Amino acid sequence: MRKFNIRKVLDGLTAGSSSASQQPPPQQHTPGSREPEIQETLQSEHFQLCKTVRHGFPYQPSALAFDPVQKILAVGTQTGALRLFGRPGVECYCQHDSGSAVIQLQFLINEGALVSALADDTLHLWNLRQKRPAILHSLKFCRERITFCHLPFQSKWLYVGTERGNIHIVNVESFTLSGYVIMWNKAIELSSKSHPGPIVHISDNPMDEGKLLIGFESGTVVLWDLKSKKGDYRYTYDEAIHSVAWHHEGKQFICSHSDGTLTIWNVRSPAKPVQTITPHGKQLKDGKKPEPCKPILKVEFKTSRSGEPFIILSGGLSYDTVGRRPCLTVMHGKSTAVLEMDYSIVDFLTLCETPYTNDFQEPYAVVVLLEKDLVLIDLAQNGYPIFENPYPLSIHESPVTCCEYFADCPVDLIPALYSVGARQKRQGYSKKEWPINGGNWGLGAQSYPEIIITGHADGSVKFWDASAITLQVLYKLKTAKVFEKSRNKDDKPNTDIVDEDPYAIQIISWCPESRMLCIAGVSAHVIIYRFSKQEVIIEVIPMLEVRLLYEINDVESPEAEQAPPLSTPVGATSPQPIPPQSHPSTSSSSSDGLRDNVPCLKVKNTPLKQSPGYQTELVIQLVWVGGEPPQQITSLAVNSSYGLVVFGNCNGIAIVDYLQKAVLLNLGTIELYGSNDPYRREPRSPRKSRQPSGAGLCDINEGTVVPEDRCKSPTSDVKDNSFSRSRSSSVTSIDKESREAISALHFCETFTRKADSSPSPCLWVGTTLGTVLVIALNLPPGGEQRLLQPVIVSPSGTVLRLKGGILRMAFLDTTGCLVPPAYESWREHNVPEEKDEKEKLKKKRPVSVSPSSSQEINENQYAVICSEKQAKVIALPTQNCAYKQNITETSFVLRGDIVALSNSICLACFCANGHIMTFSLPSLRPLLDVYYLPLTNMRIARTFCFTNNGQALYLVSPTEIQRLTYSQETCENLQEMLGELFTPVETPEAPNRGFFKGLFGGGAQSLDREELFGESSSGKASRSLAQHIPGPGGIEGVKGAASGVVGELARARLALDERGQKLGDLEERTAAMLSSADSFSKHAHEMMLKYKDKKWYQF
């Protein structure tokens, strides 16, 4: 992972748009050189940018709703986002343009529509009958603030309660207000002198739609008769009300209060509650009232035919339970279960078998929306177990610190990871199927395997199956398992660089073909893992310690530094394998008492059981040097064919042979240059004090000051404020503020020097000062010889220069195809091989599986190098610059990747000024330049990555991954790939009233709401009260719907709606003209009668 200089990033935000569009045509290859012309197939029309899907837990949730017939769950957030969940794999994300918080959601049950109420006092009607839901209508309240909404089942009239205590009624078909208003002063008793407070609850009596129960915050509840327009009963209690719920027979209701009590009322007995319960209150012996508790924020009252009713509530704990986790309480008969939650409860809903409120509810589950999780509780099983959540909502289980994305992986990878991950599953879940199962899957046009890897603050690494726009966790690796945990604060060794999250993952390097995995952590540690399906126990964890230090004692002799004790001098013939240590000496210090040779973390010295999956091959730690902590690792690469891992920081570079467990090279960055160093280096003054820890990975604040001898970000410039200064390749003075860090590493088989006649294994190293250096690798033959003979590494003397820190390197063959780094295909290491097999393998196994090894000697290659400012394509072995493109002048590139698309390859870049750009290869023609998103925080910079087939992603919030595509083909197929939220389902039959109820009355009373609320009886609402805004999801929204029957029907219905609306408008105007003519004639007639018998002088 790279740390970024925040000031520089924010400078990039203010920078103008990318300069790529104003560039002169890319420099053509030099005339006279014999580089053949490569036919490029990618054109601008192959590119288009669009968001595809968003995965993860909705960030900062604020509202919850469920459609019991469609079986769809909706979650609203504080940033105006809307997330809809159906069956696993059917998910949808929408956004309110205002970005205002969602305060309530109401489904039009089984209608394929949803009403959202926002904190800015707007109501929106969403059409869910299309794959990408859109707003059909909006209504903005101008004079009152919305506090509560209620939409009865199968009704088109939405009750809207306000802060002033009034209730307005909205027709959800036309999204217009009715003239019928329930004013607070009419609802409460006339003798009451004070205002009853905002509306906190509205619901109709389950048995009589004509009676509306209205809850005011102050503690007053009114049963309002809609027909007679007066209050039937008023119930008062001296504690504030938070929620109200009906018993399905409509004879009783329950209220939850701010003092932790529940009151149950008989509808016809308003004088006092039938029962008062304090679920968590300590009962006092002498019959006094129990002690007050915390408010009960919500209560639900659900009945079942076969047993006692359920009372389910959130909150209400006693005040002395300090530190107790938030709870959901389920009261069923005489038993009370208190279910502890990991986070605070935002809202909960009880899922019932019937959508009808006047029938036995038969509750079967409770969905609980927590601040950072979604939990579903099975009410039908003893002990109320939770359902196993099939949605990918655990991305943020520990904060994400880095991300990598791999499209078009080997096909056997996902099954292999799934099989080892299946053993990690927790037990004790409900046996039932996940009950939120609405909608239908899209048709997956993409069939290639995709894997996302996330690194986390607690040192865990998660592998996700991301194929066909879905996401599912496959396997979780805990890298912290190899280290000793400190028991308490005092016991904590004072060697850590960071105060918290010492195991946080910074960089992930993974080879999908060989399944080798390498991670670099924040405590300057590197761990190499090998994949195995067998369980093994290792007695001693293999580990190495490396001293990387930056020291120029003398300007004239930069080579003065002594070779560190653990490293091997360059070019030495026999690097001594270091015997694996159990753990380092912990109290090593230099002569002047400074901490020295001590790593930041302590490796376990007990045997380690390694489960199937990723198993530790080697732990490498950088150590303190002369009282200075090791600098964090800025770049990392692993190669399975060579058996090498390389990493660097702002002090230098180290190459380790993980097969022989030996350090092959350990050099300061300056020493890599040898005599070719273009910079004048200042001598470094020794600094003894321990500096404070660097900025955390999870939340880098704008004000973070990077301590001066902490390594700067790989993309940091010499001076924070001179970010736009062009870095010339001339000799410049480098102060210790901006040491040259290693920012890019790439193993390959190519031409190391100009004079080379054939490609050979080498390592290309890029630095933050725009230099590329090449290290030659001399590998012994394969088989047993590889373990016995040393690998010889030596700087080649080749130095290339670019403007801006180096980000990415890749190699093309003479036809312009990508030359992947060599790799060794995966095989099981923990199974003893038969002798014959071993022989076969020895003969068969090549050192490299890269196409370049079979190249003809005279064929050339191209190196593609991308820096923060420009890209260059360099012909090899001549090292001539064939093509060059200045990507940006005023900003800088945060991420550059060389990716495959439409049987070709291109360079994709994401700039700090928010532009996403692609360039053809090798000629670097600009193909796409789109302003996508400004870099508003470091999280985006840290997690943005491109991969093959036009896919990209980044962490859009601390809990969510946003995927996007820059491929025209994927954009076109996206509609097919998305799932359907709405599926035609029969509405269940209404409950049977029964013979006696029908004979003697007592069944549900229906109400003609149209007659009451329609314009003919209630008149028109005041125009200044609310403003109607037609939504963008009218005809336009449906154009995007799948051209199935539903789409056609929706189109026809909308056309009719629009036509009806126009006709309606015309009718209204005609009616208005008629009535004005009528009133004029009446007025004239009255005048005539008044003055008929008067003489002219009496006027």
Side-chain angles (χ1 to χ4, degrees):
M1 195 211 84
R2 305 204 314 271
K3 281 173 70 183
F4 294 93
N5 184 330
I6 186 80
R7 279 192 214 156
K8 177 181 169 188
V9 170
L10 292 169
D11 275 351
L13 303 187
T14 54
S17 68
S18 153
S19 58
S21 49
Q22 296 124 39
Q23 292 300 323
Q27 177 191 318
Q28 295 307 307
H29 61 269
T30 34
S33 64
R34 287 173 311 175
E35 273 111 40
E37 196 64 50
I38 292 170
Q39 194 65 44
E40 293 179 1
T41 55
L42 283 180
Q43 301 299 329
S44 297
E45 53 266 25
H46 289 106
F47 294 88
Q48 185 187 338
L49 195 72
C50 71
K51 291 180 182 179
T52 52
V53 281
R54 186 174 287 204
H55 302 297
F57 183 77
Y59 184 55
Q60 295 179 322
S62 56
L64 182 67
F66 182 67
D67 184 325
V69 181
Q70 285 287 322
K71 299 275 202 300
I72 296 281
L73 186 79
V75 176
T77 75
Q78 291 176 29
T79 53
L82 192 57
R83 290 284 291 281
L84 297 144
F85 297 93
R87 63 180 60 204
V90 177
E91 269 184 55
C92 181
Y93 157 77
C94 323
Q95 179 69 45
H96 292 92
D97 291 340
S98 67
S100 197
V102 179
I103 53 173
Q104 207 178 341
L105 295 170
Q106 289 264 306
F107 273 101
L108 277 66
I109 293 171
N110 206 23
E111 293 282 338
L114 174 79
V115 172
S116 57
L118 269 56
D120 63 357
D121 309 305
T122 51
L123 294 173
H124 303 274
L125 178 67
W126 289 86
N127 175 14
L128 309 182
R129 290 176 178 241
Q130 54 197 61
K131 289 194 171 187
R132 292 213 149 170
I135 292 172
L136 289 169
H137 300 282
S138 299
L139 194 64
K140 166 88 176 148
F141 278 73
C142 307
R143 295 192 312 211
E144 298 209 44
R145 310 225 58 186
I146 299 170
T147 55
F148 192 88
C149 297
H150 169 62
L151 181 68
F153 179 42
Q154 292 179 323
S155 161
K156 68 172 185 180
W157 298 96
L158 172 77
Y159 301 107
V160 181
T162 70
E163 200 171 46
R164 287 188 187 173
N166 303 325
I167 294 177
H168 300 280
I169 298 163
V170 175
N171 179 332
V172 288
E173 284 180 359
S174 62
F175 241 55
T176 51
L177 276 175
S178 160
Y180 191 115
V181 183
I182 304 170
M183 303 300 282
W184 68 271
N185 52 353
K186 298 268 176 31
I188 64 164
E189 287 189 63
L190 297 174
S191 58
S192 173
K193 292 187 173 70
S194 58
H195 188 278
I199 301 275
V200 292
H201 178 82
I202 309 168
S203 60
D204 40 349
N205 185 322
M207 286 296 175
D208 187 352
E209 294 174 348
K211 301 282 196 278
L212 199 64
L213 195 69
I214 305 164
F216 294 94
E217 192 180 66
S218 64
T220 301
V221 178
V222 176
L223 189 69
W224 180 264
D225 186 315
L226 288 164
K227 284 180 188 161
S228 64
K229 301 187 182 181
K230 64 179 178 47
D232 277 359
Y233 298 103
R234 294 175 179 89
Y235 315 83
T236 49
Y237 191 71
D238 53 6
E239 287 294 337
I241 289 178
H242 282 278
S243 77
V244 185
W246 279 103
H247 184 284
H248 85 271
E249 288 172 352
K251 292 173 185 170
Q252 281 190 338
F253 62 87
I254 187 168
C255 300
S256 77
H257 299 277
S258 56
D259 64 344
T261 56
L262 296 172
T263 52
I264 299 176
W265 301 77
N266 274 347
V267 171
R268 294 175 187 275
S269 318
K272 66 177 181 104
V274 198
Q275 199 182 353
T276 303
I277 313 165
T278 312
H280 296 282
K282 289 192 178 123
Q283 296 297 330
L284 302 171
K285 286 177 184 169
D286 48 4
K288 286 183 188 167
K289 267 180 80 173
E291 292 173 9
C293 294
K294 293 174 187 170
I296 294 175
L297 300 174
K298 185 171 182 181
V299 64
E300 293 210 334
F301 198 1
K302 302 294 179 188
T303 53
S304 69
R305 272 189 181 80
S306 53
E308 301 273 351
F310 282 88
I311 295 176
I312 301 164
L313 55 119
S314 64
L317 294 179
S318 65
Y319 280 102
D320 59 3
T321 51
V322 179
R324 181 128 179 227
R325 293 196 294 182
C327 294
L328 186 83
T329 306
V330 181
M331 300 165 74
H332 185 226
K334 289 183 180 170
S335 77
T336 299
V338 180
L339 310 174
E340 287 200 341
M341 302 290 156
D342 289 337
Y343 307 100
S344 54
I345 297 170
V346 175
D347 198 358
F348 74 88
L349 288 173
T350 311
L351 308 190
C352 301
E353 296 290 356
T354 175
Y356 295 95
T357 52
N358 59 354
D359 194 9
F360 284 99
Q361 302 296 284
E362 307 297 349
Y364 58 89
V366 183
V367 56
V368 190
L369 178 64
L370 305 174
E371 214 171 33
K372 293 183 179 176
D373 203 0
L374 183 76
V375 176
L376 208 62
I377 296 157
D378 185 350
L379 288 179
Q381 263 180 264
N382 283 342
Y384 305 129
I386 64 167
F387 288 87
E388 185 176 4
N389 196 323
Y391 305 135
L393 301 182
S394 63
I395 291 168
H396 62 289
E397 190 178 17
S398 167
V400 176
T401 50
C402 63
C403 240
E404 290 298 335
Y405 189 8
F406 301 86
D408 221 357
C409 302
V411 288
D412 56 347
L413 252 180
I414 288 174
L417 287 164
Y418 181 81
S419 69
V420 293
R423 306 174 196 211
Q424 300 176 327
K425 292 230 168 121
R426 275 178 48 197
Q427 301 302 310
Y429 288 114
S430 165
K431 309 270 188 298
K432 293 206 187 92
E433 288 285 305
W434 182 254
I436 302 162
N437 55 12
N440 279 321
W441 292 306
L443 305 165
Q446 286 164 251
S447 54
Y448 51 85
E450 295 174 76
I451 290 176
I452 293 169
I453 306 178
T454 51
H456 300 263
D458 64 355
S460 59
V461 175
K462 284 184 185 171
F463 290 78
W464 304 83
D465 175 4
S467 313
I469 69 169
T470 61
L471 193 70
Q472 183 188 6
V473 71
L474 291 169
Y475 171 72
K476 179 179 172 181
L477 166 68
K478 294 178 180 171
T479 67
K481 277 204 304 197
V482 298
F483 300 111
E484 298 277 6
K485 294 265 197 308
S486 50
R487 299 281 181 280
N488 53 38
K489 288 278 183 225
D490 311 328
D491 180 39
K492 211 172 184 184
N494 194 20
T495 51
D496 49 358
I497 314 181
V498 286
D499 300 327
E500 47 191 55
D501 300 329
Y503 312 111
I505 309 291
Q506 275 185 303
I507 313 173
I508 296 165
S509 175
W510 188 52
C511 171
E513 288 78 15
S514 66
R515 304 184 191 171
M516 288 302 292
L517 171 73
C518 194
I519 64 98
V522 76
S523 296
H525 62 281
V526 170
I527 311 177
I528 301 150
Y529 290 93
R530 212 186 266 281
F531 186 84
S532 170
K533 293 181 179 177
Q534 310 292 320
E535 184 176 294
V536 290
I537 292 173
I538 46 171
E539 292 301 316
V540 177
I541 299 169
M543 68 157 291
L544 287 175
E545 288 176 5
V546 177
R547 281 172 75 93
L548 263 185
L549 71 161
Y550 172 90
E551 202 163 15
I552 312 168
N553 298 326
D554 209 30
V555 185
E556 281 75 43
S557 56
E559 303 291 317
E561 185 201 328
Q562 292 302 303
L566 292 180
S567 76
T568 306
V570 179
T573 48
S574 56
Q576 294 303 309
I578 291 144
Q581 295 152 286
S582 58
H583 62 91
S585 51
T586 46
S587 57
S588 171
S589 57
S590 56
S591 54
D592 50 0
L594 295 168
R595 191 175 289 112
D596 195 58
N597 253 13
V598 189
C600 299
L601 301 171
K602 192 175 171 189
V603 174
K604 279 182 184 167
N605 54 3
T606 50
L608 182 71
K609 180 178 137 187
Q610 306 223 60
S611 306
Y614 275 101
Q615 299 174 348
T616 311
E617 173 82 4
L618 177 63
V619 179
I620 307 164
Q621 287 185 284
L622 292 183
V623 293
W624 285 65
V625 177
E628 292 239 340
Q631 300 296 323
Q632 292 180 355
I633 290 159
T634 53
S635 193
L636 173 74
V638 65
N639 187 287
S640 56
S641 176
Y642 308 156
L644 302 180
V645 66
V646 58
F647 56 93
N649 61 12
C650 55
N651 282 342
I653 186 171
I655 302 177
V656 171
D657 179 342
Y658 65 76
L659 299 174
Q660 293 188 27
K661 315 279 186 277
V663 182
L664 303 176
L665 178 83
N666 178 2
L667 280 182
T669 319
I670 306 137
E671 297 168 281
L672 278 176
Y673 286 93
S675 57
N676 298 331
D677 190 354
Y679 298 106
R680 187 175 75 250
R681 314 271 174 175
E682 296 287 326
R684 180 172 174 233
S685 59
R687 185 175 286 99
K688 303 299 182 196
S689 62
R690 176 178 187 260
Q691 73 278 6
S693 72
L697 287 170
C698 309
D699 40 64
I700 298 176
N701 298 320
E702 208 172 313
T704 304
V705 178
V706 182
E708 63 172 338
D709 58 345
R710 186 33 90 235
C711 85
K712 279 288 180 130
S713 99
T715 56
S716 72
D717 225 295
V718 176
K719 290 272 185 288
D720 283 349
N721 55 1
S722 63
F723 133 85
S724 55
R725 170 180 81 76
S726 68
R727 294 187 187 148
S728 63
S729 55
S730 63
V731 176
T732 51
S733 168
I734 301 173
D735 60 348
K736 55 191 174 294
E737 258 302 276
S738 67
R739 303 187 206 160
E740 186 172 14
I742 306 296
S743 57
L745 294 163
H746 191 89
F747 284 106
C748 55
E749 224 161 278
T750 187
F751 301 91
T752 314
R753 299 173 185 86
K754 283 186 183 178
D756 284 2
S757 56
S758 64
S760 59
C762 55
L763 169 69
W764 285 52
V765 180
T767 76
T768 50
L769 293 182
T771 307
V772 176
L773 303 145
V774 184
I775 296 174
L777 308 173
N778 193 341
L779 296 155
E784 278 173 20
Q785 290 300 306
R786 173 64 185 84
L787 300 173
L788 299 171
Q789 292 183 32
V791 177
I792 297 166
V793 297
S794 52
S796 66
T798 296
V799 178
L800 304 167
R801 304 268 315 129
L802 271 79
K803 203 162 72 173
I806 306 297
L807 296 177
R808 190 76 62 212
M809 296 175 279
F811 292 84
L812 312 181
D813 65 16
T814 192
T815 64
C817 294
L818 197 64
V819 178
Y823 62 84
E824 181 183 272
S825 293
W826 178 80
R827 60 190 177 84
E828 182 58 74
H829 273 257
N830 291 331
V831 176
E833 295 164 4
E834 294 299 316
K835 206 168 184 190
D836 302 346
E837 285 289 313
K838 225 173 186 175
E839 287 303 312
K840 267 188 217 164
L841 269 169
K842 204 186 292 180
K843 287 174 190 158
K844 200 175 92 178
R845 221 169 81 212
V847 174
S848 157
V849 190
S850 92
S852 60
S853 54
S854 62
Q855 281 189 333
E856 307 265 324
I857 284 168
N858 61 358
E859 286 194 348
N860 59 359
Q861 283 191 5
Y862 296 94
V864 180
I865 306 168
C866 174
S867 81
E868 295 174 321
K869 293 285 185 182
Q870 60 179 194
K872 280 186 182 179
V873 173
I874 290 161
L876 299 174
T878 61
Q879 293 179 16
N880 292 334
C881 177
Y883 302 97
K884 180 172 117 180
Q885 175 68 261
N886 289 329
I887 299 169
T888 173
E889 290 292 341
T890 52
S891 184
F892 58 97
V893 179
L894 282 164
R895 177 83 185 206
D897 285 294
I898 289 98
V899 289
L901 178 72
S902 307
N903 299 320
S904 189
I905 51 167
C906 64
L907 166 65
C909 299
F910 172 50
C911 267
N913 61 14
H915 282 250
I916 288 177
M917 295 180 267
T918 61
F919 301 92
S920 70
L921 287 174
S923 73
L924 295 173
R925 277 181 301 116
L927 296 169
L928 173 80
D929 181 356
V930 177
Y931 177 70
Y932 173 66
L933 93 156
L935 184 66
T936 47
N937 57 40
M938 296 311 304
R939 186 182 53 250
I940 298 170
R942 208 173 47 237
T943 56
F944 200 103
C945 44
F946 296 97
T947 185
N948 297 331
N949 300 341
Q951 306 287 350
L953 66 79
Y954 61 96
L955 219 70
V956 67
S957 76
T959 61
E960 297 162 290
I961 285 174
Q962 177 67 56
R963 284 164 73 178
L964 51 146
T965 182
Y966 48 95
S967 151
Q968 165 71 33
E969 191 187 357
T970 309
C971 288
E972 283 177 2
N973 294 333
L974 186 59
Q975 198 62 35
E976 280 176 35
M977 293 160 68
L978 294 171
E980 294 264 10
L981 281 167
F982 180 78
T983 45
V985 181
E986 281 287 311
T987 301
E989 274 189 33
N992 193 348
R993 286 175 68 183
F995 174 71
F996 289 106
K997 277 190 177 172
L999 196 61
F1000 301 113
Q1005 302 291 313
S1006 63
L1007 168 79
D1008 187 348
R1009 294 189 178 95
E1010 188 67 48
E1011 189 187 314
L1012 265 181
F1013 307 144
E1015 209 173 293
S1016 55
S1017 57
S1018 65
K1020 278 192 170 183
S1022 161
R1023 283 210 171 164
S1024 60
L1025 190 61
Q1027 176 194 357
H1028 177 259
I1029 306 154
I1035 290 291
E1036 286 309 306
V1038 177
K1039 277 181 185 163
S1043 56
V1045 182
V1046 174
E1048 294 299 335
L1049 279 171
R1051 254 171 241 168
R1053 189 169 162 185
L1054 272 167
L1056 276 171
D1057 276 2
E1058 289 199 351
R1059 189 172 153 215
Q1061 209 172 326
K1062 284 173 190 160
L1063 284 171
D1065 289 351
L1066 189 64
E1067 208 173 297
E1068 274 174 29
R1069 270 188 240 125
T1070 313
M1073 282 167 74
L1074 279 170
S1075 75
S1076 83
D1078 195 35
S1079 70
F1080 179 79
S1081 75
K1082 269 186 192 165
H1083 192 63
H1085 188 65
E1086 278 167 12
M1087 288 280 284
M1088 189 261 296
L1089 288 173
K1090 188 175 174 186
Y1091 298 118
K1092 192 172 75 171
D1093 300 325
K1094 287 190 178 183
K1095 303 287 185 217
W1096 65 268
Y1097 50 82
Q1098 289 174 314
F1099 286 161

